């Protein structure tokens, strides 16, 4: 695909289908190619709905709650329907799980020809941001099922078992970022051709950073190691770290992780005395994002354990999340370790 920029310079980009044709190797390549082409379609369809904004009258709350007791936005349900309808036709997906639905979804027999893959997703992450026109995203994770008719137990695999993970960011432009365990690549949706083009090959997270992202209003509820880390960041040049830090909080994990992929940083939603196990969900938020972050050279921890090694106990289970630039995440994990030794 050839794009002319304002100065009429010509740049050639490859589109996502051409990229996947060459990039996907091994036993899952045919299945992944097909499943991902549906995921891509779903994300394009979600982009259209998001871009229409208030024009469709869908910016409000529904009055219903999801399984986590959170108020559902109309767009949570609309995007969930789009994702399910678009991604159940490939013949490869045997089951799905969504943030918005209590139970896992079994795909009907006639839509499950070769299906032994599981698609887990959060259709609209950060949806509290939609009516204020701030970036939101879709997060997804793909697992292999050992069962053609998957049950809940088939979904409960550690993040290390993921064969693909990705997110779409509906920001100033729509981007799709994904990994199949062989690096991280980012694509920008070209609105003229309606194609995702490879604009960010082999994304890497800087090992060091001077930027953190956390909801500071929860400070008094955090545990000591997180307070210590943030205190030191705030002390800046005058403290032990001897450098100043910057802070960002979009309240959209997808936007936050995307920023970290572009310019480094750490993102934290730790455990606190209100929620105990954190806010974010392991299976369709923390795991896929951890897979991407690790594949880009970053790190991801609960504070005491690598997130990808957490043994899941429930499809909607929550987990403390700290991920991003490797040296900072190692420091945060060391503070947790030091605290548990002092106990
Ligand atoms: P959601 O899946 O219900 O949108 O919640 C997840 C979002 C994350 O994107 C974001 O990091 C976090 O919730 C923001 O939480 P808070 O409102 O406490 O700052
Ligand atoms: Mg969400």
């Amino acid at each position: 695909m050839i794009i002319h920029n304002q100065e009429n310079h010509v740049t050639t980009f490859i589109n996502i289908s051409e990229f996947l044709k060459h990039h996907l190797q091994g036993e899952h390549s045919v299945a992944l190619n097909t499943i991902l082409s549906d995921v891509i379609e779903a994300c394009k369809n979600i982009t259209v709905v998001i871009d229409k904004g208030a024009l469709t009258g869908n910016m409000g709350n529904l009055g219903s709650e999801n399984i986590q007791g959170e108020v559902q936005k109309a767009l949570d349900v609309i995007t969930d329907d789009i994702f399910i309808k678009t991604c159940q036709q490939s013949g490869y997906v045997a089951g799905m799980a969504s943030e918005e639905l209590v139970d896992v979804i079994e795909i009907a027999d006639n839509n499950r020809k070769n299906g032994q893959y599981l698609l887990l997703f959060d259709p609209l992450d950060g949806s509290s941001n939609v009516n204020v026109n701030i970036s939101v995203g879709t997060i997804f994770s793909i697992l292999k099922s050992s069962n053609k008719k998957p049950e809940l137990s088939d979904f409960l695999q550690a993040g290390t078992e993921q064969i693909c993970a990705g997110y779409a960011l509906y920001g100033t432009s729509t981007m799709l970022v994904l990994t199949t365990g062989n690096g991280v690549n980012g694509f920008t949706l070209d609105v003229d051709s309606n194609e995702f083009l490879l604009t960010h090959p082999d994304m890497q997270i800087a090992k060091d950073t001077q930027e953190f992202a956390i909801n500071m209003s929860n400070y008094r509820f955090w545990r000591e190691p997180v307070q210590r880390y943030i205190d030191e960041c705030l002390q800046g040049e005058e403290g032990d770290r001897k450098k100043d830090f910057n802070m960002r909080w979009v309240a959209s994990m997808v936007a936050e992780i995307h920023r970290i992929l572009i310019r480094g940083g750490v993102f934290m939603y730790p455990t606190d005395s209100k929620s105990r196990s954190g806010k974010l969900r392991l299976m369709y938020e923390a795991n896929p994002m951890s897979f991407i972050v690790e594949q880009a050279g970053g790190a991801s921890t609960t504070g005491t354990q690598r997130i990808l090694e957490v043994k899941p106990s429930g499809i909607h289970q929550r987990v403390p999340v700290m991920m991003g630039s490797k040296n900072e995440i190692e420091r945060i994990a060391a503070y947790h370790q030091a605290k548990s030794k002092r106990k």
Side-chain angles (χ1 to χ4, degrees), residues 99 122 124-126 281 285:
E99 175 178 322
D122 177 355
L124 198 62
D125 185 63
R281 277 57 50 126
E285 291 177 328

mmCIF file of all heavy atoms in Angstrom, residues 99 122 124-126 281 285, ligand 2:
data_model
loop_
_atom_site.group_PDB
_atom_site.id
_atom_site.type_symbol
_atom_site.label_atom_id
_atom_site.label_comp_id
_atom_site.label_asym_id
_atom_site.label_seq_id
_atom_site.Cartn_x
_atom_site.Cartn_y
_atom_site.Cartn_z
ATOM 1 N N GLU A 99 -15.540 -10.087 29.124
ATOM 2 C CA GLU A 99 -15.725 -9.353 30.381
ATOM 3 C C GLU A 99 -17.205 -9.107 30.651
ATOM 4 O O GLU A 99 -17.638 -9.031 31.802
ATOM 5 C CB GLU A 99 -14.992 -8.000 30.322
ATOM 6 C CG GLU A 99 -15.252 -7.161 31.556
ATOM 7 C CD GLU A 99 -14.525 -5.830 31.588
ATOM 8 O OE1 GLU A 99 -13.370 -5.780 31.142
ATOM 9 O OE2 GLU A 99 -15.111 -4.867 32.078
ATOM 10 N N ASP A 122 -11.959 -8.435 26.232
ATOM 11 C CA ASP A 122 -12.661 -7.303 26.833
ATOM 12 C C ASP A 122 -13.003 -6.411 25.642
ATOM 13 O O ASP A 122 -12.112 -5.798 25.046
ATOM 14 C CB ASP A 122 -11.740 -6.582 27.828
ATOM 15 C CG ASP A 122 -12.417 -5.355 28.421
ATOM 16 O OD1 ASP A 122 -13.540 -5.033 27.994
ATOM 17 O OD2 ASP A 122 -11.810 -4.719 29.300
ATOM 18 N N LEU A 124 -14.548 -3.558 25.217
ATOM 19 C CA LEU A 124 -14.371 -2.102 25.293
ATOM 20 C C LEU A 124 -13.744 -1.740 26.636
ATOM 21 O O LEU A 124 -14.430 -1.378 27.595
ATOM 22 C CB LEU A 124 -15.723 -1.389 25.116
ATOM 23 C CG LEU A 124 -15.614 0.080 24.741
ATOM 24 C CD1 LEU A 124 -14.906 0.264 23.405
ATOM 25 C CD2 LEU A 124 -16.973 0.727 24.710
ATOM 26 N N ASP A 125 -12.422 -1.860 26.682
ATOM 27 C CA ASP A 125 -11.738 -1.550 27.936
ATOM 28 C C ASP A 125 -11.636 -0.039 28.119
ATOM 29 O O ASP A 125 -11.396 0.696 27.160
ATOM 30 C CB ASP A 125 -10.338 -2.166 27.938
ATOM 31 C CG ASP A 125 -9.681 -1.957 29.273
ATOM 32 O OD1 ASP A 125 -10.220 -2.486 30.262
ATOM 33 O OD2 ASP A 125 -8.669 -1.248 29.347
ATOM 34 N N GLY A 126 -11.835 0.379 29.379
ATOM 35 C CA GLY A 126 -11.783 1.825 29.674
ATOM 36 C C GLY A 126 -13.076 2.514 29.288
ATOM 37 O O GLY A 126 -13.092 3.715 29.019
ATOM 38 N N ARG A 281 -8.716 -7.727 35.339
ATOM 39 C CA ARG A 281 -9.024 -9.148 35.201
ATOM 40 C C ARG A 281 -7.869 -9.891 34.532
ATOM 41 O O ARG A 281 -7.272 -9.421 33.562
ATOM 42 C CB ARG A 281 -10.311 -9.338 34.376
ATOM 43 C CG ARG A 281 -11.609 -9.217 35.105
ATOM 44 C CD ARG A 281 -11.900 -7.952 35.855
ATOM 45 N NE ARG A 281 -11.717 -6.709 35.127
ATOM 46 C CZ ARG A 281 -12.630 -5.770 34.988
ATOM 47 N NH1 ARG A 281 -13.816 -5.907 35.523
ATOM 48 N NH2 ARG A 281 -12.365 -4.643 34.340
ATOM 49 N N GLU A 285 -7.442 -9.191 30.439
ATOM 50 C CA GLU A 285 -6.778 -7.881 30.524
ATOM 51 C C GLU A 285 -5.294 -8.088 30.863
ATOM 52 O O GLU A 285 -4.410 -7.780 30.066
ATOM 53 C CB GLU A 285 -7.471 -6.987 31.568
ATOM 54 C CG GLU A 285 -8.856 -6.553 31.116
ATOM 55 C CD GLU A 285 -9.631 -5.720 32.128
ATOM 56 O OE1 GLU A 285 -9.478 -5.907 33.357
ATOM 57 O OE2 GLU A 285 -10.443 -4.885 31.688
HETATM 58 MG MG1 LIG B 2 -12.568 -3.718 30.642
#
